[in-house]
Amino acid sequence: MSYKIKNAIIKWDKSAGKFDLVDPERYFNGKEILVAIDGDDLITIQLLVNAIVKNDFKNWKEIHGKKPDDSIKNLLLKLGYQKEEIAKMLREF
């Protein structure tokens, strides 16, 4: 079972000086919401949620080599997932 995080794209329109909401699924129609998350980070968050839902915790007790400025994109690798496992998770997603 996969869990889908509702998301849309917030795009800066330089000529108009404003943000445009690209929301083809119409999740946020009529709602006053403005949150921006990098696309790669959003995918990582969705993969982490799916791993939690499936109780696939790998090495979640300890994150090896964590630095304060580490990107969330590296979190799955630091949790002990191999690149092949992450690729498989992406295909299931």
Side-chain angles (χ1 to χ4, degrees):
M1 174 177 93
S2 220
Y3 179 78
K4 177 84 170 141
I5 294 176
K6 294 178 183 172
N7 65 84
I9 296 172
I10 301 167
K11 186 176 172 184
W12 179 250
D13 183 348
K14 289 180 185 177
S15 62
K18 64 177 182 122
F19 287 102
D20 288 324
L21 180 65
V22 181
D23 183 18
E25 302 292 329
R26 303 182 58 80
Y27 289 129
F28 305 102
N29 189 29
K31 295 182 181 176
E32 293 181 19
I33 296 174
L34 177 61
V35 175
I37 299 175
D38 177 76
D40 290 343
D41 290 348
L42 179 63
I43 291 169
T44 302
I45 291 166
Q46 289 181 297
L47 291 175
L48 288 168
V49 168
N50 290 346
I52 292 167
V53 168
K54 291 194 263 182
N55 289 321
D56 183 16
F57 294 113
K58 286 285 178 189
N59 297 328
W60 287 51
K61 293 179 185 173
E62 184 177 348
I63 298 175
H64 304 284
K66 173 78 174 100
K67 298 176 191 161
D69 59 343
D70 273 350
S71 168
I72 192 170
K73 295 173 193 80
N74 297 324
L75 186 57
L76 289 169
L77 292 171
K78 291 188 179 285
L79 287 169
Y81 287 88
Q82 300 296 318
K83 289 184 181 184
E84 296 80 22
E85 293 171 304
I86 297 170
K88 181 181 176 192
M89 291 169 71
L90 284 167
R91 284 191 295 275
E92 291 172 358
F93 172 61

